[in-house]
Amino acid sequence: MIKRLFLIVFCLCFIVNTVHAGTVEPVFKQLKDPNLDGADNEPSTSGIAITPDGKKFFVMDNLEAGATDGGAIFIYDLTTAFDISTMDVTNRTIVNTTGLGDDLGFGNGKKTIVFNNDGKKLFLFNTHGLAQFHNLASPYDVASISASTLIPDDGLNYKTAYNSGALEISALYGVTFNNDGTRMYLNDGHKNVTDITQVNLSTPFDPSSGTFAFNLNTEDIPDLRVNGFTFEIAFDDDGTRLYISEGLNNSTGVPTFMFVYKLSTPFELSSATYVGASQIVGNGNNVSAIGWTFGNNGMKAYIGTEDANDDGDDIIYEYDLTCPYGIVLCETDAVTAIGAQVEIAKNVIHQNSSTIFKRFEWIRRNDERDNLANHNIKLNIHNPILAALKTNLENSLNDIEYTQASLKKENSEINKKNWSYWSHGDISFGRVGDTGSSKPKEVKTRGIMFGADKLVDKKIFGYAFRYGNDEVDIDDGSSDELDAQTFSLNIYSSVPLKNRSNLNLLFGASYLMIDQLGKDQVTGKRNGKQIYTSMSYENENEYTKYELIPFGKLEMGITQFSDYTDFGVVSNSVESHESLTFKTGNISAGLKFDNILYLNDDTISRNGFIEYIYDLTPNIDHYLKNHIDNTTIKKTINTHSLHNVKGNIGFEYISSDGRTIAFNYERFQSLNKSGHKDSLFIKFGSVKKQNANFDVIYDPINNNNTKVSYLKQMGNFNLKLNSNYSLFNKIPDYGANLEIFGTF
């Protein structure tokens, strides 16, 4: 009997431990007392907030014995962003709200502080449904509020404005909005009647313009104590997770929890499913989360308590989160991650078409030259080793006769020199800005393209292969990133039309292999394939004294991604992503110039363009589910920026003996969203000497290894240089060997 009882207890303990093992817990970092020494209850911590840059911290004062008022806002500067240990308590600013509108200190009770999405509106609520709203002179400038900044709210009491009868709010303990301010959420945190009211707003961030939409009953939360209170509420960045804090009144011995819901439809409470709870502990003590907030893109949490414990009274606790909004469960920021995958697909098309169209321009500029072999490198100026490699790569095949490959024993003379061979390397870097639901992304692109084409009666036909490597760092504090390898095959043609105009055409197909990484671990692998086309029309007739040439361009592509599983970096963050097929495209128009100066037998080309680009990519719906609840949810990736502009400026010098120097700087800039990409194009070339030989072997499959061999005859002596270089490694591996030998 005893053995059986022991076995049952052991199994129960194992089950309990197994259940809680998968729960993601915040990691306590440090605490801070916002009160001056000896000045207890100043402030008596109620609602709290922090600015997106982590440099200012706000504490709403709760009226208690010994406090001067119950409606003040205490503002603290943080010397180090998001680090509350650097909070300047001595030089804090105190803003009194008394006399500016509703009396927030009336009747004691919880206070809530909320900002709109750009920080230019301030919302203050108290337990009894009274409120003050202010327009701020600049984002988060709470110190500027006055009677003149007050926004009328039609005298509404927010306990009764959108609820009636049994649903009337007993204690308004928490308020928040969705990202665009079209919905407001009011938490009734009173014991035994805890629920959240969803209010739809006809005017964004105008609480007086609402209509009742839905009421979420939170009273049945399994971990909520009998007669328990709930306080602040918050969503994650895309509205698919809802967080509710539990608090107590002057009781330190009872544990409290943070409760989490999943929403299958973002910000829609009717789609909420309870997931689980995480106990709130700070510095080894139970913490009553009267006020709390997220910070640093969801990688931080801050909890304020007015209840005394072993750490003191009115303490602020700071926590690190293992993933964005990582309480109870971790989920990838799917909108940002899938959006980054879409950006990679678009960038592959752009890099292929941009490179080949630059080839068209070079051929048209040099159409009187017999040899159209050309080897270019587009590089980051911070890579001098690659720059040196580029210089030699361009020199390697100039003025070499090529014979068309054939299985026939004889080749007619007309086929000789028909094919010209070229190569092009590109390295670019940039940043795709954030939106309401997507984080900024740092983008680095590196690739190398090899092509062959021939010129027949002014028509160009050719083939090109490109290997590319794209790295995208997601700037949300989580160390998440994407690493993609892409292989593209292109067929292209340029056909001259009447009146000195040209039609350039490109058809291509790519294969993509994308690794999703979290904290330097591969958490998921996804493959993709795409087909695309691009065409441009340009009129080479020069207009105005600046010799401007108009052109237009259309680019379209279809990409298909496989389904994949992202295993995350913690045990319960496993997500299954469905396959995804989407279209991308853009249409553009611009003016380019290509002015050539003739200096005896030398030429200087001054060239560039300005181009307006309209993004035709529609919003993309993607479906996934987390294995913790198996609820399929839809994420929508919105078009980042509809309106964009691209500019390019540079020059090319060609001497009489065949030496070439060229520079081009290019900038892609989003107009209605933050985002840009910078590229620098540098070219050096010279006629190949007959007593020198240069070979380049590039192997993208074998760690991007590049072998260089240079042999030059100097009279009776030979100079030989061998070198190897791992082209795209973060920590490059390279070496060189120099030999000098003679023949007599």
Side-chain angles (χ1 to χ4, degrees):
M1 180 68 181
I2 296 177
K3 290 182 178 180
R4 183 178 300 174
L5 180 61
F6 175 79
L7 181 61
I8 293 173
V9 172
F10 174 81
C11 291
L12 288 174
C13 291
F14 175 80
I15 293 172
V16 171
N17 287 334
T18 301
V19 170
H20 286 281
T23 300
V24 180
E25 304 286 352
V27 179
F28 170 75
K29 183 176 183 180
Q30 58 192 349
L31 57 85
K32 184 73 174 183
D33 188 342
N35 296 320
L36 294 170
D37 292 341
D40 194 18
N41 297 326
E42 286 288 352
S44 176
T45 304
S46 183
I48 64 174
I50 190 169
T51 55
D53 65 1
K55 291 297 186 69
K56 285 189 179 295
F57 200 95
F58 306 93
V59 177
M60 282 293 294
D61 185 26
N62 191 24
L63 181 62
E64 286 190 356
T68 57
D69 61 71
I73 307 170
F74 288 69
I75 308 172
Y76 303 84
D77 291 324
L78 277 65
T79 305
T80 301
F82 303 107
D83 183 353
I84 63 171
S85 69
T86 65
M87 181 185 292
D88 188 355
V89 176
T90 303
N91 297 310
R92 64 191 183 180
T93 300
I94 303 175
V95 178
N96 200 323
T97 64
T98 303
L100 298 183
D102 287 353
D103 183 5
L104 299 177
F106 167 75
N108 198 356
K110 173 77 168 66
K111 310 295 187 304
T112 301
I113 177 171
V114 188
F115 295 92
N116 73 332
N117 53 1
D118 63 5
K120 291 186 177 181
K121 288 184 182 292
L122 171 67
F123 305 91
L124 307 172
F125 297 85
N126 75 355
T127 300
H128 307 285
L130 302 179
Q132 282 187 28
F133 312 139
H134 293 269
N135 285 317
L136 303 182
S138 58
Y140 305 99
D141 184 13
V142 175
S144 68
I145 67 171
S146 65
S148 64
T149 64
L150 196 66
I151 303 172
D153 69 345
D154 297 333
L156 295 178
N157 184 297
Y158 291 90
K159 287 174 58 177
T160 59
Y162 302 116
N163 283 326
S164 61
L167 293 178
E168 182 176 311
I169 295 174
S170 300
L172 185 59
Y173 281 166
V175 181
T176 192
F177 297 89
N178 68 341
N179 289 338
D180 62 9
T182 57
R183 293 178 182 178
M184 178 175 66
Y185 308 86
L186 309 172
N187 183 41
D188 184 354
H190 198 271
K191 59 183 179 181
N192 299 325
V193 291
T194 59
D195 56 45
I196 303 173
T197 299
Q198 178 180 314
V199 180
N200 292 342
L201 304 180
S202 59
T203 302
F205 294 107
D206 179 2
S208 66
S209 68
T211 55
F212 173 83
F214 185 78
N215 186 273
L216 176 65
N217 181 13
T218 59
E219 189 176 337
D220 297 330
I221 293 176
D223 298 289
L224 182 63
R225 295 175 304 103
V226 176
N227 298 327
F229 294 83
T230 60
F231 285 88
E232 295 284 4
I233 54 177
F235 291 94
D236 66 346
D237 57 342
D238 64 2
T240 58
R241 280 175 282 176
L242 171 67
Y243 303 83
I244 310 169
S245 69
E246 183 182 30
L248 301 172
N249 275 334
N250 299 316
S251 177
T252 60
V254 180
T256 58
F257 295 87
M258 188 75 72
F259 307 115
V260 181
Y261 282 82
K262 280 285 298 293
L263 285 75
S264 57
T265 302
F267 296 106
E268 179 54 60
L269 292 188
S270 62
S271 70
T273 302
Y274 179 70
V275 175
S278 173
Q279 185 175 345
I280 306 172
V281 178
N283 200 32
N285 299 315
N286 292 319
V287 174
S288 178
I290 302 298
W292 71 277
T293 187
F294 287 114
N296 195 20
N297 292 316
M299 294 302 295
K300 289 279 190 180
Y302 304 89
I303 293 177
T305 177
E306 66 172 354
D307 298 326
N309 59 33
D310 291 342
D311 295 320
D313 198 4
D314 303 313
I315 302 298
I316 308 295
Y317 294 86
E318 177 186 329
Y319 299 82
D320 289 326
L321 304 183
T322 57
C323 61
Y325 305 93
I327 300 176
V328 175
L329 76 161
C330 273
E331 292 182 324
T332 58
D333 184 352
V335 170
T336 300
I338 304 303
Q341 295 174 17
V342 171
E343 287 295 329
I344 289 173
K346 293 170 66 175
N347 193 51
V348 170
I349 299 174
H350 168 76
Q351 291 292 342
N352 279 278
S353 65
S354 179
T355 301
I356 290 175
F357 286 168
K358 281 184 172 63
R359 172 65 174 172
F360 290 144
E361 294 174 4
W362 191 88
I363 292 176
R364 297 295 180 195
R365 187 183 305 133
N366 298 275
D367 59 0
E368 295 181 356
R369 298 176 181 271
D370 293 332
N371 177 24
L372 296 179
N374 175 240
H375 302 274
N376 302 332
I377 290 293
K378 188 179 184 182
L379 73 158
N380 184 334
I381 57 175
H382 300 297
N383 196 328
I385 296 176
L386 187 58
L389 174 63
K390 162 207 55 70
T391 303
N392 290 330
L393 181 61
E394 292 166 354
N395 296 341
S396 62
L397 297 174
N398 283 345
D399 290 346
I400 298 177
E401 288 190 0
Y402 296 96
T403 302
Q404 184 177 5
S406 175
L407 296 178
K408 298 180 180 180
K409 295 182 179 180
E410 296 181 359
N411 282 320
S412 62
E413 288 294 322
I414 195 172
N415 284 331
K416 292 184 178 180
K417 294 189 178 179
N418 267 358
W419 289 97
S420 296
Y421 298 84
W422 57 274
S423 60
H424 181 101
D426 59 86
I427 297 180
S428 58
F429 51 91
R431 177 182 177 89
V432 179
D434 56 335
T435 64
S437 59
S438 181
K439 300 297 183 298
K441 298 171 278 290
E442 301 288 343
V443 182
K444 298 177 183 177
T445 302
R446 298 163 290 190
I448 187 165
M449 179 178 279
F450 299 96
D453 49 43
K454 61 180 177 179
L455 184 62
V456 180
D457 297 330
K458 299 296 184 179
K459 299 182 181 68
I460 304 170
F461 300 95
Y463 306 88
F465 171 81
R466 180 180 185 272
Y467 167 76
N469 175 246
D470 293 74
E471 293 181 0
V472 181
D473 292 332
I474 299 174
D475 189 11
D476 63 356
S478 64
S479 300
D480 289 341
E481 60 181 293
L482 299 175
D483 184 89
Q485 297 186 72
T486 61
F487 304 86
S488 304
L489 179 63
N490 302 275
I491 303 173
Y492 58 90
S493 176
S494 181
V495 180
L497 304 176
K498 294 181 180 180
N499 301 320
R500 296 190 64 196
S501 58
N502 301 305
L503 180 64
N504 303 319
L505 301 170
L506 164 67
F507 296 94
S510 298
Y511 182 74
L512 301 85
M513 298 185 298
I514 302 176
D515 290 342
Q516 185 162 312
L517 297 91
K519 297 183 178 179
D520 297 325
Q521 302 177 38
V522 176
T523 61
K525 290 178 175 290
R526 188 171 216 178
N527 297 327
K529 51 189 177 182
Q530 64 182 187
I531 57 174
Y532 52 88
T533 184
S534 184
M535 62 185 70
S536 70
Y537 171 84
E538 59 186 43
N539 191 322
E540 293 189 5
N541 292 292
E542 298 161 348
Y543 296 88
T544 78
K545 65 179 181 179
Y546 300 105
E547 300 179 345
L548 300 178
I549 301 172
F551 68 92
K553 184 178 177 183
L554 175 65
E555 192 173 270
M556 301 291 293
I558 299 176
T559 303
Q560 184 179 71
F561 283 144
S562 65
D563 56 4
Y564 80 108
T565 300
D566 179 10
F567 291 93
V569 293
V570 293
S571 59
N572 73 346
S573 63
V574 180
E575 293 177 347
S576 294
H577 295 257
E578 295 184 5
S579 60
L580 177 64
T581 301
F582 57 93
K583 300 176 182 178
T584 60
N586 62 72
I587 188 170
S588 63
L591 296 169
K592 71 176 185 177
F593 63 92
D594 194 348
N595 177 259
I596 298 178
L597 298 178
Y598 295 92
L599 306 175
N600 296 324
D601 293 329
D602 300 342
T603 61
I604 296 178
S605 168
R606 298 171 296 181
N607 55 81
F609 63 81
I610 183 72
E611 180 180 9
Y612 166 76
I613 303 171
Y614 183 81
D615 197 334
L616 299 173
T617 304
N619 292 339
I620 299 168
D621 292 333
H622 180 66
Y623 295 88
L624 71 151
K625 63 180 178 181
N626 191 290
H627 286 206
I628 196 170
D629 57 11
N630 283 322
T631 300
T632 298
I633 60 175
K634 179 179 75 173
K635 301 281 189 176
T636 299
I637 296 90
N638 297 311
T639 301
H640 170 67
S641 178
L642 293 176
H643 306 283
N644 310 275
V645 65
K646 183 166 67 172
N648 182 295
I649 189 169
F651 76 90
E652 180 181 68
Y653 169 77
I654 303 177
S655 67
S656 58
D657 59 0
R659 288 177 297 176
T660 302
I661 300 175
F663 295 89
N664 275 86
Y665 169 74
E666 187 170 287
R667 170 88 173 190
F668 179 94
Q669 180 67 54
S670 301
L671 295 180
N672 57 335
K673 297 288 183 180
S674 61
H676 69 273
K677 182 176 290 185
D678 296 284
S679 299
L680 182 64
F681 176 86
I682 302 177
K683 181 173 68 175
F684 299 97
S686 65
V687 175
K688 178 183 178 295
K689 304 301 182 183
Q690 296 301 317
N691 61 345
N693 187 51
F694 184 86
D695 294 310
V696 176
I697 301 175
Y698 173 70
D699 186 357
I701 305 300
N702 184 20
N703 201 30
N704 299 296
N705 191 48
T706 303
K707 295 182 179 179
V708 180
S709 177
Y710 179 76
L711 176 63
K712 184 175 179 63
Q713 295 178 357
M714 297 178 294
N716 293 328
F717 290 92
N718 296 300
L719 173 67
K720 185 176 182 180
L721 174 65
N722 293 300
S723 177
N724 66 279
Y725 182 68
S726 298
L727 198 60
F728 294 152
N729 277 8
K730 292 182 178 179
I731 303 176
D733 177 22
Y734 56 90
N737 180 48
L738 179 65
E739 297 180 38
I740 300 178
F741 57 93
T743 57
F744 300 94

